Amino acid sequence: MNILTIQADRSLAIIFIEMKDIDQFGKQLIQWYIKNHRRLPWRETDNPYYIWVSEVMLQQTRVKAVLPYYQKFLERFPDLRRLAQARLQSVLKMWEGMGYYARARHLHQAAKLVLKRYDGKIPDNWESFRDLPGVGEYIASAVLSFAFNQPYCVVDGNVKRVLARFFLIDAPVNRSASLKIFKEAAGRLMKPCRPGIFNQAIMELGATICRPRNPGCGSCPVQSLCSACQSRKVATYPIRIPKKIIPEYHMAVGVILKNDRILIARRKREGLLGGLWEFPGDKVKEKEDPRQACVRGIKETVNLSVEIDSFITRIKYSFTHFKVVKDVFRCRHVFGEVELNGPDDRFRWTTPRQIERYPFPKADHKVIRLIKGMNFS
Ligand code: SF4
């Protein structure tokens, strides 16, 4: 019996595994993967640029939602040079609706740097690639192992779940200090295998068979080796620490009309939704009416005095750490010239037809559809 002990901060994981089981795990997993994996376009290539784009998109977004974006993005920017030479607004437009726009901004900046520093050739060593904007440990491990077959473990939520069940790891999967434990465990299993295909296979197992609810243990290629399955503890693993309650913010914004045109403003590049366009407004303060908040917010952020004509709609959306409820009002410009004092660095008075040229957060698309059906006279 081989005992693997892993210490990460205050967590200690002791994993019992026989060496022959490690070999068996990789062999059975990879055989299963070759026959059964989903045919996804980024798996049928070893082009590092395609793999990089897919991995950036797949962070925070599901495979099904990524597929159409991936195809369109590569049609528009078929290689790194084209991406590096594009305007940020065009890149954000291709990303529009997928959310987490910092991913697109960083990918664009990183492409520019690769063009400048490495003549457009994506570096195949950890230090140089990891040094690029938006390239964290996860992206670096994924691209270097999938495209260059380098021995870096890719440990996402799916992989952690497989490992937690396979080894009965008690470290909570949603605590950052646990990552070291899961990486060590994955590294042990990966050793006898080709890194790229091993990583793909264990991710696929977690995504399709070792699912969070109702895992398909009956069709799992490593069932006979799995500790949770053998000890009937599958439902107990993985361990999670309870989630914190996510705060909710109330916003009030205005579709401001002046001579048949609408005011839109662009958020500053850095920060949340950076580089995207929006309708001006502000958070609703405690005990404030949303209509008052809308008028006040517009005055404070874009220096216009407006009157509210009507309520248009309420939209709701979530970010990782908070939720937003946004009330949208139709407003009439009364007086004042635009001066940007808030989160935006540029503005336009646009027509309802032209508004679609600008990249907006997905939640605002409902407002844009409603604006197009509005009477402006
Ligand atoms: S046997 Fe079940 S719990 Fe164990 S790895 Fe396979 S699917 Fe997951």
Side-chain angles (χ1 to χ4, degrees):
M1 180 80 68
N2 183 47
I3 301 175
L4 169 61
T5 310
I6 305 164
Q7 175 86 49
D9 293 344
R10 269 171 279 148
S11 313
L12 180 71
I14 300 172
I15 292 167
F16 298 91
I17 186 165
E18 290 196 38
M19 291 310 287
K20 69 174 174 42
D21 288 350
I22 291 182
D23 285 346
Q24 255 337 86
F25 180 95
K27 225 181 256 168
Q28 289 172 204
L29 177 73
I30 289 170
Q31 273 171 8
W32 166 84
Y33 176 77
I34 290 168
K35 275 197 206 145
N36 296 287
H37 73 268
R38 293 166 295 171
R39 266 57 187 175
L40 299 169
W42 46 85
R43 288 190 176 148
E44 313 300 318
T45 178
D46 57 5
N47 180 323
Y49 170 66
Y50 295 173
I51 291 170
W52 186 9
V53 169
S54 73
E55 286 304 324
V56 174
M57 290 184 169
L58 286 163
Q59 280 204 316
Q60 323 279 1
T61 310
R62 290 178 179 279
V63 167
K64 204 172 156 203
V66 163
L67 277 166
Y69 281 96
Y70 175 80
Q71 312 278 21
K72 275 199 284 176
F73 194 90
L74 290 183
E75 277 164 26
R76 181 83 164 74
F77 311 115
D79 52 45
L80 182 130
R81 186 172 293 269
R82 298 272 190 92
L83 176 61
Q85 290 169 344
R87 290 174 57 230
L88 176 62
Q89 289 289 290
S90 319
V91 178
L92 289 173
K93 190 69 196 164
M94 298 308 293
W95 209 272
E96 190 182 36
M98 203 163 31
Y100 299 98
Y101 297 92
R103 296 181 296 177
R105 290 198 307 275
H106 288 147
L107 181 62
H108 184 231
Q109 278 169 14
K112 282 172 181 279
L113 281 176
V114 171
L115 189 59
K116 196 169 143 197
R117 288 183 190 162
Y118 310 109
D119 197 25
K121 195 168 174 288
I122 294 172
D124 62 359
N125 69 78
W126 180 267
E127 286 71 26
S128 308
F129 189 59
R130 177 77 175 77
D131 193 38
L132 296 168
V135 178
E137 290 216 355
Y138 178 87
I139 295 267
S141 305
V143 174
L144 294 178
S145 69
F146 300 159
F148 302 111
N149 208 29
Q150 296 197 13
Y152 297 105
C153 294
V154 179
V155 179
D156 66 358
N158 289 325
V159 174
K160 281 194 242 176
R161 186 168 56 255
V162 172
L163 295 169
R165 287 172 175 163
F166 188 82
F167 289 120
L168 297 182
I169 296 176
D170 287 322
V173 283
N174 57 343
R175 196 177 58 195
S176 46
S178 308
L179 184 62
K180 190 176 171 204
I181 292 171
F182 288 100
K183 275 191 167 175
E184 288 267 356
R188 283 295 177 107
L189 293 174
M190 189 175 80
K191 241 181 200 158
C193 308
R194 294 190 68 227
I197 195 163
F198 173 87
N199 282 333
Q200 296 275 16
I202 193 166
M203 290 165 84
E204 186 74 347
L205 184 71
T208 62
I209 303 276
C210 195
R211 299 175 295 261
R213 280 184 218 98
N214 305 322
C217 300
S219 26
C220 177
V222 294
Q223 186 192 22
S224 62
L225 308 168
C226 172
S227 305
C229 193
Q230 298 310 313
S231 58
R232 297 178 186 276
K233 288 184 180 165
V234 175
T236 312
Y237 288 84
I239 308 287
R240 300 188 142 271
I241 39 178
K243 275 189 186 167
K244 284 190 196 141
I245 295 169
I246 299 179
E248 184 176 273
Y249 300 114
H250 190 177
M251 304 271 306
V253 302
V255 174
I256 307 165
L257 300 177
K258 182 184 169 191
N259 302 330
D260 297 344
R261 290 191 171 245
I262 298 165
L263 182 68
I264 58 173
R266 193 182 70 179
R267 291 183 68 86
K268 287 174 188 155
R269 275 198 183 188
E270 293 316 318
L272 194 69
L273 305 176
L276 295 185
W277 293 75
E278 65 179 0
F279 301 101
D282 199 9
K283 267 189 204 162
V284 181
K285 293 181 181 167
E286 221 183 306
K287 296 189 183 157
E288 194 177 29
D289 177 82
R291 288 173 168 256
Q292 287 171 347
C294 177
V295 172
R296 176 193 52 74
I298 289 169
K299 182 69 188 161
E300 285 176 9
T301 57
V302 294
N303 190 44
L304 295 185
S305 295
V306 299
E307 278 178 6
I308 289 182
D309 277 340
S310 57
F311 171 73
I312 298 178
T313 189
R314 168 171 278 192
I315 49 183
K316 295 180 178 183
Y317 49 95
S318 308
F319 295 98
T320 318
H321 300 299
F322 61 92
K323 296 180 192 169
V324 177
V325 174
K326 194 193 273 184
D327 288 332
V328 186
F329 297 94
R330 175 175 165 143
C331 303
R332 201 166 0 98
H333 172 251
V334 179
F335 65 88
E337 295 297 324
V338 176
E339 264 177 41
L340 299 176
N341 302 314
D344 307 309
D345 64 1
R346 188 174 281 199
F347 71 93
R348 289 269 185 283
W349 287 101
T350 182
T351 64
R353 244 165 48 143
Q354 286 171 339
I355 202 167
E356 289 200 335
R357 291 189 197 160
Y358 299 90
F360 274 82
K362 190 176 182 184
D364 281 336
H365 289 193
K366 179 182 173 193
V367 181
I368 292 169
R369 278 198 304 279
L370 292 169
I371 289 173
K372 285 171 75 187
M374 272 163 53
N375 181 0
F376 278 75
S377 52

